[in-house]
Amino acid sequence: MLYHLLYPLHESIGVFNVFKYITFRTFGATLTAMVLCLLLGSRYIRWLKEKQIGQSIRELGPQSHMSKKGTPTMGGGLILGCITLSTVLWADLRNHYVWVALFVMVGTGLIGWVDDYRKVVQKNSKGLSARQKLIWQTVVALAAAIFMYWMRDTPPVLKFPFFKDLALDLGIFFIPFAVLVIVGTSNAVNLTDGLDGLAVGPTITTALTFAVLAYSAGNFVIAEYLQIPFVSGAGELAIFLASTGAACLGFLWFNAYPAEVFMGDVGALALGGALGVSAVITKNEFLLVICGGVFVVEALSVMLQVASFKLTGKRIFKMAPIHHHFELKGWPEPKVIVRFWIVSIMLALATLATLKLR
Ligand code: 57M
């Protein structure tokens, strides 16, 4: 909005010319999202407590979690609000990628909100069934994928890290592939959100890394130099992704151990959807597997655990997702969390390194 209001005035007020630059607006969006979250966090938590929106804890989980009963949840509403406000304030609103990303984030966030509301407010422990969640996530992802396929101005190719000349033209199969990436990432972040700040950390590193990738993909000179696909207009996504990372950083102030608030499915599903759709838009789906490696390992641990138990009656891990396995091995919760953050930072650096290793 600021871009549309102030840039046109740059001929009479020269300083407003700065609004032309994505880098400047990304910086502004980063500050806005983080400061908003920090300023509103305490008030939002107080409101959740007044509404008695507190987390119930399942008996089955690690006993250390019993003390978390009643912790305010649905903190994701604050995260999504800060991301959306900051993006609308600083991005070029004529850019359809920005609206696709916001649509997927808010759409998957609404699914999570219904699940949280049924569980926490209506005290219906089931919430939305896994099947219902999957159906609605697929509907949101399919709408975005079909729109992106129809609006595409670049071929629907799948790029591979390290192999700069290798590209697979997906054709119409871009649509189911995009749905798989978006829904898969949404659920992987959701599964990861099981310890204080555990999902927020990798979301911050992944969102900020993808902000760099989006800016690079949208800049012809940089894309040409790095030999990555040029995606005209993808640069504006850097504003959305930087807002995502910054809002999560602000939320982490309250979600850090011992957490004063959980993000809820409204946050976890939405943040995963946001990362998934951003990877599809910037044609970096495989880089998301590397950068979001913690999410991948968490999801894989569940799949392997369930498959092993069904096939052999034995568990591979003490408990899945894998963060519970380390908890049951005796690692204190903060140690599990910070070690997963360290791995995420290393994976983010490795992701950026692949841009040159090709
Ligand atoms: C999402 N939700 C947390 C919180 C957060 C198929 C199976 C693997 C499904 C999985 C599951 O139910 N996942 C749901 C994980 C929950 O967090 C809430 O949910 C939101 C995110 N969706 O924002 O509102 C609990 O996580 C803890 N938590 C924190 N700090 C945070 O900042 O401590 C969350 C955020 C919270 C709190 O205790 O209540 C969750 O874990 O449910 N199921 C599981 O993950 C369960 N694993 C399991 O059953 N494993 C089996 C099979 C099925 C693989 C096995 O290993 O044999 C574990 N989770 C729980 N209890 N809570 C173990 C049992």
Side-chain angles (χ1 to χ4, degrees):
M1 197 185 300
L2 291 176
Y3 171 74
H4 302 285
L5 291 175
L6 300 179
Y7 179 63
L9 305 176
H10 74 278
E11 276 152 17
S12 45
I13 309 173
V15 71
F16 287 159
N17 185 57
V18 75
F19 281 93
K20 177 173 73 174
Y21 300 104
I22 289 176
T23 45
F24 171 76
R25 287 188 281 119
T26 298
F27 181 70
T30 303
L31 277 185
T32 304
M34 185 159 59
V35 169
L36 260 181
C37 219
L38 287 170
L39 289 179
L40 298 176
S42 298
R43 196 169 307 165
Y44 186 80
I45 292 168
R46 272 200 306 277
W47 177 76
L48 290 173
K49 283 179 176 171
E50 282 163 15
K51 296 291 179 188
Q52 297 182 333
I53 301 177
Q55 181 72 50
S56 56
I57 305 292
R58 269 180 293 186
E59 299 302 321
L60 278 176
Q63 287 315 297
S64 58
H65 284 239
M66 298 322 283
S67 61
K68 296 169 181 270
K69 186 174 170 57
T71 304
T73 186
M74 296 181 77
L78 174 67
I79 301 174
L80 302 192
C82 293
I83 295 169
T84 303
L85 190 61
S86 177
T87 302
V88 169
L89 205 55
W90 290 96
D92 176 350
L93 302 179
R94 297 165 304 180
N95 184 292
H96 62 275
Y97 290 130
V98 168
W99 291 110
V100 167
L102 285 173
F103 167 76
V104 170
M105 183 185 76
V106 173
T108 46
L110 277 176
I111 298 165
W113 185 87
V114 171
D115 187 43
D116 287 334
Y117 186 84
R118 287 190 181 182
K119 276 187 214 166
V120 175
V121 178
Q122 294 180 336
K123 308 296 179 202
N124 164 3
S125 62
K126 293 252 181 293
L128 272 177
S129 69
R131 180 185 165 79
Q132 286 171 314
K133 239 186 255 188
L134 197 59
I135 289 170
W136 285 110
Q137 284 172 307
T138 304
V139 167
V140 171
L142 198 56
I146 290 169
F147 178 78
M148 284 191 281
Y149 184 75
W150 175 60
M151 282 290 289
R152 73 189 183 290
D153 43 18
T154 50
V157 293
L158 177 59
K159 291 294 285 181
F160 297 84
F162 310 112
F163 302 99
K164 65 180 180 299
D165 300 323
L166 187 57
L168 179 65
D169 189 339
L170 294 172
I172 192 77
F173 293 103
F174 163 82
I175 294 173
F177 181 73
V179 170
L180 179 71
V181 172
I182 294 167
V183 174
T185 313
S186 179
N187 286 311
V189 175
N190 189 41
L191 286 172
T192 306
D193 192 32
L195 296 180
D196 296 354
L198 185 67
V200 173
T203 302
I204 293 168
T205 54
T206 306
L208 297 182
T209 302
F210 268 74
V212 172
L213 294 174
Y215 179 77
S216 305
N219 181 303
F220 184 76
V221 174
I222 298 176
E224 189 73 7
Y225 169 69
L226 293 173
Q227 299 189 53
I228 58 175
F230 169 61
V231 182
S232 174
E236 285 296 326
L237 216 53
I239 290 157
F240 168 75
L241 285 159
S243 299
T244 300
C248 285
L249 200 58
F251 181 74
L252 184 58
W253 184 269
F254 306 98
N255 183 234
Y257 180 86
E260 301 166 56
V261 63
F262 298 152
M263 69 169 75
D265 281 36
V266 58
L269 293 180
L271 291 173
L275 296 178
V277 72
S278 299
V280 172
I281 291 170
T282 58
K283 301 191 184 308
N284 285 305
E285 297 87 350
F286 279 118
L287 288 187
L288 179 61
V289 172
I290 299 173
C291 200
V294 162
F295 301 131
V296 173
V297 168
E298 290 266 348
L300 277 179
S301 70
V302 170
M303 289 186 251
L304 291 172
Q305 179 90 326
V306 172
S308 166
F309 193 73
K310 281 186 174 168
L311 293 172
T312 67
K314 290 190 174 55
R315 288 183 165 82
I316 300 171
F317 306 98
K318 291 179 182 296
M319 185 176 284
I322 197 168
H323 55 261
H324 287 315
H325 172 77
F326 291 113
E327 273 195 299
L328 296 181
K329 275 186 68 155
W331 292 18
E333 183 174 346
K335 193 175 277 290
V336 179
I337 298 160
V338 174
R339 285 180 172 174
F340 275 47
W341 288 351
I342 292 168
V343 169
S344 289
I345 292 167
M346 289 160 62
L347 289 172
L349 295 173
T351 303
L352 293 171
T354 66
L355 293 175
K356 285 308 289 166
L357 302 174
R358 31 186 340 134

